[in-house]
Amino acid sequence: MLLRDGTKYDLPSVTDYTPVEGRADGRFTARVDLAATLLALLHDDSHHRTTVSVITTAAKPTLLQWMRREALAKR
């Protein structure tokens, strides 16, 4: 399984994300949704040897909002 995701951003909790087979380029993915998908796929071998994309469907930032958050984030 190869896990692909779009541009990542922070959210406080897991949302109603959508894992899809194949590529979903140009999509935003919350880091918590990516982590939840990784944990869920540990117990699910139906995606063996496939590419999985994670799409966050709620609370998506605009590109400008994302750039501002990432630039001002304390790491």
Side-chain angles (χ1 to χ4, degrees), residues 48-69:
H48 184 68
R49 295 188 172 270
T50 63
T51 299
V52 177
S53 295
V54 181
I55 302 168
T56 298
T57 56
K60 295 183 290 187
T62 65
L63 182 59
L64 181 58
Q65 289 170 330
W66 174 80
M67 288 171 50
R68 187 177 300 134
R69 282 185 201 164

Side-chain angles (χ1 to χ4, degrees), residues 3-66:
L3 189 72
R4 297 193 57 98
D5 62 313
T7 305
K8 291 179 278 314
Y9 64 102
D10 292 321
L11 283 178
S13 60
V14 177
T15 68
D16 187 23
Y17 63 89
T18 304
V20 294
E21 281 195 26
R23 297 180 84 161
D25 292 332
R27 303 293 182 133
F28 286 99
T29 303
R31 289 178 176 95
V32 294
D33 293 343
L34 177 59
T37 302
L38 287 170
L39 291 173
L41 291 176
L42 284 174
H43 305 290
D44 179 9
D45 63 351
S46 64
H47 295 289
H48 184 68
R49 295 188 172 270
T50 63
T51 299
V52 177
S53 295
V54 181
I55 302 168
T56 298
T57 56
K60 295 183 290 187
T62 65
L63 182 59
L64 181 58
Q65 289 170 330
W66 174 80

